[in-house]
Amino acid sequence: MNLLPNWLSQRAKVTPNRVAVDLAAESITFLQLHKRVVKRAFQLASYGIKKGHTVAIYMKNRIEYIELIHALAYIGAKALLLNTRLKQQEIQYQCSDAKANFLVVDESYEETILLSGTELIQLQDLIYRHEKEIVLQSQYDLNDTYTIMYTSGTTGNPKGVMQSYGNHWWSATGSSLNLGLQTNDCWLVAVPLFHISGFSILMRNVIYGMRIVLHSKFEAIQANAAIETKGVTIMSVVTSMLTQMLKELGGRKYPESFRCMLAGGGPVPRVLLDDCIEKGIPVYQTYGMTETSSQFVTLAPEDSIQKLGSAGKPLMPCQLKIVNANGEEVMNGIEGEIAVKGPNVTSGYLNKPEETDKAIKNGWFYTGDIGKLDEDGFLYVLDRRSDLIISGGENIYPAEIESTLLKHPLIAEAGVTGLPHKQWGQVPAAFLVVTSPIKKEELQAYCQSMLANYKVPKYYFIVDDLPRTASNKIIRRKLPQRIEQGRQL
Amino acid sequence: MNLLPNWLSQRAKVTPNRVAVDLAAESITFLQLHKRVVKRAFQLASYGIKKGHTVAIYMKNRIEYIELIHALAYIGAKALLLNTRLKQQEIQYQCSDAKANFLVVDESYEETILLSGTELIQLQDLIYRHEKEIVLQSQYDLNDTYTIMYTSGTTGNPKGVMQSYGNHWWSATGSSLNLGLQTNDCWLVAVPLFHISGFSILMRNVIYGMRIVLHSKFEAIQANAAIETKGVTIMSVVTSMLTQMLKELGGRKYPESFRCMLAGGGPVPRVLLDDCIEKGIPVYQTYGMTETSSQFVTLAPEDSIQKLGSAGKPLMPCQLKIVNANGEEVMNGIEGEIAVKGPNVTSGYLNKPEETDKAIKNGWFYTGDIGKLDEDGFLYVLDRRSDLIISGGENIYPAEIESTLLKHPLIAEAGVTGLPHKQWGQVPAAFLVVTSPIKKEELQAYCQSMLANYKVPKYYFIVDDLPRTASNKIIRRKLPQRIEQGRQL
């Protein structure tokens, strides 16, 4: 029961002439996509990439990204998806931790230092590469790992989340059982493909046989144009994207065929919801994470006002419970840790059995997020795990920034938390105890050399000490209280 | 990855207020259905029915059938679904072969002899039975057997096909990826629930959260009324049902919201298709069997004329190949045995490891049916192997002759089988239901114009009706019994 035909090759057989991907300049059918992917697979093979290898990808949204993803499945290799905002040190860490054999990059890759143990392939070289014919994998074992995406937990270094073919299948079908699936459906991809939010659309693309429109990056004006003129019916967004789109939309309305804004990254604020209702835009709010291979809980538009702030109810294959500190399930109305279970949940963290055992017990994944269920079973997420900061749809983990700051010779203590921001929802702010005076420019330059830009703190406060628990752990939620007594750089 | 929450209990949580079942007199929501099912589970438990038991059901289509099916899942018991046309001896055989612990019957059960080893429960007794509270199974293991349906193969006694929770899940989701899934979808059940065609709709009901309309039996006038007034969007039919419905429909048309006639049990004749096209009725033809837990291959309406007589292409999770006598896959265009593979295919026959090993090799189920793929990958089912007529060394497939005969304007129904012949071993004989008198010479000239000589029937019998199964398939081996009552041309 765990073997499925390769989804792209099945689509090339079953619905060969349907449009798979719409780009600015061309439309590619499933059969055409299959043929391009086979060529890419043979080109990749000529570098020595083979079954069982791990291949990292550092590329912006582009058709070659899609081709590579499917080509790796045909080869039987795993894909390590790198955030294109990562800096050299972060790339090096992830490639080395995942034992990536190759790293494919496009021109957005500006680093020049060679990675040890990982061979670099330039996309421009790959495109004109000769082909080496190999036997293609015609089916998947659903338990096999397909993709690896890194995410940080409560402490320290990012961990590689293993996502299997089955995780992606179950996520896609679970979503379709919730949102429905129409013949004319078309999903706009304006979120990064290296995130599960974007990648999961590629999976729905081949599993549903559904057209997608691919944008290289999000631009409100282009996104609206795609909805208004390209037959887009569904789009994945985060709050900041939705805000920009509504502003650009002004007095116009979307066509009636547009049926779903799938909004992730935290609850949509009331004013924005009201604006959407006025314009007749159905917003489905979601809760999910890299470990659940996309959405796990969704809130239907009809419940969005009555259940304001809620993330909704689990998808069909998904179970959810709230547990107390002893791991016991609590009643509706009581706060606790959110634990989830389902075939779309990761089997664990790559090469980290201890971290895996800590997170997954008896098939339940403990998210670290705090939440409660109301009397009708609707989930409210009260606090993201490890004080997660969500900034313009990017997850930022304070622990990672803190550990970077602590490496600076003049910093004795560092605490990071999110502060509200009009455009991005939140931005990271650093609270520092220093051994000597230090300038903001110096700190920023230091952080920019070590961290992706979105992780670089926007504010720095010099304080006498940090709020801590009895066991000396930083209480990050209390950091904002130090703003007044601190000195902002 | 093999554990899912019980689908009904999940629906009662996620979409409690959606209508699950529409009956003539009432509408039942998923939450109400769940509550009724829990009561039934407790009532069944009071008879001593428990996890691991097998419970046979001999009942016509009715709400209690649906309740029992889900109640057995809550208990963790298997359901043996009996055809209500079976006679005492056949019931006894199936109950005994499946080691059924209990048999639940309604008033349509007229047999009085007690079964040995199987305890009889009258539905009327069950309904007023006291309850015994037990722990309900809150989740499924997809590998566990849920239902058992008997089917005859090419030879010998009927065999119990084991259908797991996973088989049903994959069948339902595979179907939705093909047909789509709309918020307003509603499936009319006018085929027997004891057949996979009817039972699979119950699974889609809870997996999709989709309303169904349940009819106790098929009546063209009621079926049309349900489509015209009850918001039915999809219906499962066989050819003879469709014929009757079109006749009853006369000059009327279905509402635009009606979007799918799912037609099983063999190709739909051209005249009928033409009629459907004229009336704007989309017909999806299918090929499937008990062993594949419903449809495996479907033909979309847009291909039905160009690919007349084809069963279409496999569902997304399904693989298909044509093999020769040596078990080797043959090229498109070549006839051979149809072999299928997929997570909706049975793991085998109950307590019959030898029969299972004969039918399933390397994950491929050998259907015993003969077919071919055309150059575009469309499947043509040529015949059931058991009905093969061999005449003078030539292979003749009755279905091919029947579909030719059905194209004749005066022929309403046609069945073909082999009759013994001194010279050729067998010759094809046709059994016909006609709309107006017709001459033998005319028929022969017609057939000769369409078929190779050896395929032209040597005998023609005009009959009142054809022997059919409960699911309306022609029983070709019983055709010779009609010789006496028929009129030979």
Side-chain angles (χ1 to χ4, degrees):
Chain A
M1 204 181 287
N2 286 323
L3 296 176
L4 283 197
N6 176 295
W7 304 324
L8 176 59
S9 73
Q10 184 81 339
R11 278 293 157 205
K13 281 180 196 166
V14 177
T15 54
N17 302 320
R18 274 194 209 165
V19 172
V21 186
D22 255 336
L23 304 169
E26 62 176 332
S27 292
I28 301 165
T29 66
F30 282 102
L31 182 58
Q32 288 166 341
L33 182 60
H34 162 77
K35 286 178 178 170
R36 292 165 77 140
V37 167
V38 169
K39 180 180 174 174
R40 292 283 177 253
F42 290 167
Q43 289 176 315
L44 288 171
S46 79
Y47 289 96
I49 295 175
K50 55 188 181 187
K51 192 175 176 179
H53 273 174
T54 297
V55 178
I57 303 177
Y58 182 103
M59 279 171 29
K60 59 180 187 181
N61 282 12
R62 56 195 302 162
I63 184 64
E64 291 87 355
Y65 204 124
I66 299 178
E67 292 167 8
L68 280 185
I69 285 297
H70 294 300
L72 291 174
Y74 275 152
I75 292 172
K78 295 183 271 285
L80 165 58
L81 307 187
L82 297 174
N83 189 320
T84 54
R85 295 167 133 191
L86 294 185
K87 294 293 167 61
Q88 179 75 21
Q89 183 195 301
E90 297 165 305
I91 296 168
Q92 205 145 29
Y93 170 80
Q94 294 192 12
C95 285
S96 146
D97 187 69
K99 302 185 175 58
N101 307 82
F102 292 85
L103 165 59
V104 184
V105 303
D106 65 9
E107 69 284 351
S108 64
Y109 185 78
E110 290 170 351
E111 312 298 334
T112 48
I113 304 160
L114 288 181
L115 303 173
S116 68
T118 303
E119 194 174 320
L120 196 69
I121 297 175
Q122 297 285 349
L123 180 61
Q124 283 312 310
D125 184 62
L126 171 65
I127 285 173
Y128 299 105
R129 182 79 176 190
H130 63 273
E131 300 174 34
K132 182 192 167 195
E133 207 163 314
I134 55 163
V135 176
L136 300 177
Q137 305 296 309
S138 63
Q139 59 182 11
Y140 306 125
D141 186 320
L142 293 180
N143 293 314
D144 284 349
T145 297
Y146 184 15
T147 47
I148 301 158
M149 296 182 194
Y150 274 74
T151 175
S152 294
T154 42
T155 51
N157 283 321
K159 304 181 290 271
V161 177
M162 297 185 284
Q163 297 157 336
S164 66
Y165 290 98
N167 290 153
H168 292 305
W169 172 276
W170 284 94
S171 170
T173 50
S175 175
S176 75
L177 290 175
N178 179 51
L179 297 178
L181 179 60
Q182 302 188 353
T183 320
N184 68 337
D185 269 342
C186 174
W187 208 302
L188 174 57
V189 188
V191 286
L193 293 176
F194 55 73
H195 274 320
I196 188 60
S197 60
F199 186 85
S200 60
I201 307 172
L202 297 191
M203 298 294 97
R204 297 179 196 122
N205 175 223
V206 288
I207 292 172
Y208 301 171
M210 172 193 68
R211 181 167 66 100
I212 61 174
V213 171
L214 181 67
H215 283 183
S216 58
K217 58 177 181 166
F218 170 71
E219 296 280 2
I221 188 166
Q222 282 175 25
N224 279 337
I227 292 174
E228 292 175 294
T229 67
K230 293 230 170 183
V232 166
T233 61
I234 309 179
M235 181 182 180
S236 297
V237 295
V238 294
T239 297
S240 62
M241 292 165 70
L242 194 51
T243 306
Q244 293 175 60
M245 289 174 75
L246 284 180
K247 195 177 166 196
E248 198 281 327
L249 194 62
R252 312 197 305 280
K253 282 196 176 185
Y254 292 144
E256 289 222 341
S257 54
F258 183 79
R259 65 187 193 87
C260 171
M261 280 288 185
L262 197 66
V268 178
R270 173 66 189 252
V271 280
L272 194 52
L273 277 180
D274 283 340
D275 205 357
C276 287
I277 289 166
E278 198 191 304
K279 290 194 162 66
I281 302 170
V283 178
Y284 290 77
Q285 298 180 70
T286 71
Y287 167 67
M289 57 208 78
T290 309
E291 286 91 337
T292 62
S293 317
S294 175
Q295 40 169 335
F296 196 86
V297 170
T298 67
L299 184 70
E302 60 265 33
D303 297 319
S304 61
I305 293 299
Q306 196 200 341
K307 298 292 181 181
L308 193 73
S310 168
K313 291 190 174 184
L315 295 183
M316 197 55 198
C318 303
Q319 297 179 67
L320 183 143
K321 64 180 180 184
I322 307 293
V323 294
N324 64 20
N326 302 323
E328 300 153 346
E329 186 167 0
V330 299
M331 290 191 313
N332 287 4
I334 309 289
E335 288 179 16
E337 183 175 2
I338 301 169
V340 298
K341 181 178 178 177
N344 50 343
V345 174
T346 181
S347 65
Y349 300 109
L350 186 68
N351 304 325
K352 293 197 167 47
E354 276 181 32
E355 303 263 15
T356 300
D357 288 349
K358 234 191 285 176
I360 304 177
K361 291 163 197 138
N362 275 326
W364 287 92
F365 171 72
Y366 288 76
T367 63
D369 292 346
I370 305 300
K372 65 172 182 181
L373 296 170
D374 74 4
E375 68 277 11
D376 299 318
F378 284 80
L379 175 69
Y380 288 76
V381 182
L382 302 170
D383 210 348
R384 292 302 295 239
R385 57 183 152 174
S386 61
D387 311 302
L388 182 68
I389 302 166
I390 303 181
S391 183
E394 291 282 3
N395 286 352
I396 302 174
Y397 300 90
E400 193 188 350
I401 304 175
E402 287 164 3
S403 78
T404 300
L405 287 165
L406 284 171
K407 286 176 191 151
H408 191 283
L410 301 183
I411 295 175
E413 295 179 40
V416 170
T417 190
L419 291 182
H421 189 273
K422 217 174 163 183
Q423 184 176 2
W424 304 116
Q426 285 185 299
V427 289
F431 295 77
L432 306 171
V433 178
V434 293
T435 54
S436 307
I438 186 168
K439 282 186 179 157
K440 184 177 179 180
E441 294 70 35
E442 197 184 323
L443 275 173
Q444 280 204 299
Y446 170 73
C447 285
Q448 272 160 359
S449 73
M450 306 282 276
L451 295 167
N453 277 340
Y454 64 90
K455 298 180 190 170
V456 174
K458 298 291 165 289
Y459 306 106
Y460 299 89
F461 299 95
I462 305 300
V463 294
D464 294 334
D465 63 348
L466 298 177
R468 289 182 183 273
T469 65
S471 56
N472 238 335
K473 278 190 201 159
I474 297 170
I475 309 171
R476 296 198 184 97
R477 69 175 188 281
K478 288 194 175 171
L479 287 170
Q481 297 170 4
R482 302 290 162 108
I483 289 178
E484 283 192 17
Q485 63 194 82
R487 186 174 58 84
Q488 189 178 347
L489 292 185
Chain B
M1 204 181 287
N2 287 322
L3 296 176
L4 283 198
N6 176 294
W7 305 323
L8 176 59
S9 73
Q10 185 81 340
R11 279 292 158 205
K13 281 181 196 164
V14 177
T15 55
N17 302 320
R18 273 194 210 165
V19 173
V21 187
D22 254 337
L23 304 170
E26 63 176 330
S27 292
I28 302 166
T29 67
F30 282 103
L31 182 58
Q32 289 166 339
L33 182 60
H34 162 77
K35 287 179 178 171
R36 292 164 76 141
V37 167
V38 169
K39 180 180 175 173
R40 291 283 177 252
F42 290 168
Q43 289 176 315
L44 288 171
S46 79
Y47 290 96
I49 294 175
K50 56 188 181 188
K51 191 175 177 180
H53 274 174
T54 296
V55 178
I57 302 175
Y58 181 104
M59 280 170 28
K60 58 181 189 183
N61 282 12
R62 55 195 302 160
I63 185 63
E64 292 86 356
Y65 205 124
I66 298 178
E67 293 166 9
L68 280 185
I69 285 297
H70 294 301
L72 291 174
Y74 275 153
I75 292 173
K78 294 183 269 287
L80 165 59
L81 307 187
L82 296 174
N83 188 319
T84 55
R85 290 172 155 191
L86 293 185
K87 293 294 165 55
Q88 179 75 24
Q89 187 195 302
E90 298 163 305
I91 296 169
Q92 206 144 30
Y93 170 79
Q94 295 191 13
C95 285
S96 149
D97 186 68
K99 301 185 176 58
N101 306 83
F102 293 85
L103 165 60
V104 184
V105 303
D106 66 9
E107 68 284 352
S108 64
Y109 185 78
E110 289 169 353
E111 311 298 333
T112 49
I113 304 161
L114 289 179
L115 302 173
S116 68
T118 303
E119 196 174 318
L120 196 69
I121 298 175
Q122 298 284 348
L123 179 61
Q124 283 313 308
D125 185 63
L126 172 65
I127 285 173
Y128 300 105
R129 182 80 177 189
H130 62 273
E131 300 173 33
K132 182 193 167 194
E133 206 163 312
I134 55 163
V135 176
L136 300 177
Q137 306 295 311
S138 63
Q139 59 182 11
Y140 306 124
D141 186 319
L142 294 180
N143 292 314
D144 284 348
T145 297
Y146 184 14
T147 48
I148 300 158
M149 295 181 194
Y150 275 74
T151 179
S152 294
T154 43
T155 53
N157 280 322
K159 303 179 292 268
V161 178
M162 297 184 286
Q163 297 157 337
S164 66
Y165 290 98
N167 290 152
H168 291 305
W169 171 276
W170 285 93
S171 169
T173 49
S175 176
S176 75
L177 291 175
N178 179 51
L179 298 177
L181 179 59
Q182 302 187 352
T183 320
N184 68 337
D185 269 341
C186 174
W187 208 302
L188 174 57
V189 187
V191 286
L193 293 177
F194 56 74
H195 274 316
I196 188 61
S197 59
F199 186 84
S200 59
I201 306 172
L202 297 191
M203 298 295 96
R204 297 178 196 124
N205 175 223
V206 286
I207 292 172
Y208 302 170
M210 171 192 68
R211 181 167 66 101
I212 61 173
V213 171
L214 181 67
H215 284 182
S216 58
K217 58 175 180 169
F218 170 71
E219 295 279 2
I221 189 167
Q222 283 176 24
N224 280 335
I227 293 174
E228 293 176 290
T229 67
K230 293 231 171 182
V232 166
T233 60
I234 309 179
M235 181 182 180
S236 298
V237 295
V238 293
T239 297
S240 63
M241 291 165 70
L242 193 52
T243 305
Q244 291 175 60
M245 289 173 74
L246 285 180
K247 195 176 163 195
E248 199 281 328
L249 194 63
R252 312 198 305 280
K253 284 198 175 184
Y254 292 145
E256 288 223 342
S257 53
F258 183 78
R259 65 187 192 86
C260 170
M261 279 288 184
L262 197 66
V268 178
R270 173 68 190 254
V271 281
L272 195 52
L273 277 179
D274 284 340
D275 205 356
C276 287
I277 290 166
E278 197 191 306
K279 290 193 162 67
I281 303 170
V283 178
Y284 289 77
Q285 297 179 71
T286 72
Y287 167 68
M289 59 208 79
T290 309
E291 286 91 337
T292 62
S293 317
S294 176
Q295 36 166 341
F296 196 87
V297 171
T298 67
L299 184 70
E302 59 266 32
D303 297 319
S304 62
I305 294 299
Q306 197 200 337
K307 299 293 183 182
L308 193 71
S310 168
K313 292 190 175 185
L315 294 182
M316 196 55 198
C318 304
Q319 298 179 66
L320 183 142
K321 65 181 179 183
I322 308 293
V323 295
N324 64 19
N326 302 324
E328 300 153 347
E329 187 167 359
V330 299
M331 290 191 313
N332 287 5
I334 309 290
E335 291 177 14
E337 184 174 2
I338 301 168
V340 297
K341 182 177 177 177
N344 50 342
V345 175
T346 180
S347 64
Y349 300 108
L350 185 68
N351 304 324
K352 292 197 168 47
E354 277 181 31
E355 302 263 16
T356 300
D357 288 348
K358 232 191 287 177
I360 303 177
K361 290 163 198 141
N362 276 327
W364 287 93
F365 172 70
Y366 289 77
T367 64
D369 292 347
I370 306 299
K372 64 172 183 181
L373 296 170
D374 74 4
E375 67 278 12
D376 299 319
F378 284 81
L379 175 69
Y380 289 76
V381 181
L382 300 170
D383 211 346
R384 294 292 304 204
R385 177 166 278 182
S386 51
D387 291 328
L388 190 66
I389 302 168
I390 303 181
S391 185
E394 293 282 0
N395 286 355
I396 300 174
Y397 302 102
E400 189 188 354
I401 304 173
E402 286 164 5
S403 76
T404 300
L405 288 165
L406 284 171
K407 288 174 191 155
H408 191 283
L410 299 184
I411 295 174
E413 296 181 48
V416 170
T417 190
L419 291 182
H421 191 274
K422 224 172 160 181
Q423 187 177 1
W424 305 114
Q426 281 184 302
V427 289
F431 295 78
L432 307 171
V433 179
V434 293
T435 53
S436 305
I438 186 168
K439 282 186 183 158
K440 183 177 180 179
E441 294 70 31
E442 198 183 321
L443 276 173
Q444 280 204 301
Y446 170 73
C447 286
Q448 274 159 357
S449 73
M450 307 279 278
L451 295 167
N453 274 342
Y454 68 88
K455 296 182 187 170
V456 173
K458 298 294 166 288
Y459 307 105
Y460 298 87
F461 300 94
I462 305 300
V463 293
D464 292 330
D465 63 358
L466 299 176
R468 290 181 183 272
T469 66
S471 56
N472 251 322
K473 281 187 202 161
I474 297 171
I475 309 169
R476 296 201 184 94
R477 69 177 185 282
K478 288 194 179 173
L479 286 170
Q481 297 170 5
R482 301 288 161 112
I483 290 177
E484 284 196 19
Q485 64 195 78
R487 186 175 57 84
Q488 190 180 345
L489 293 183

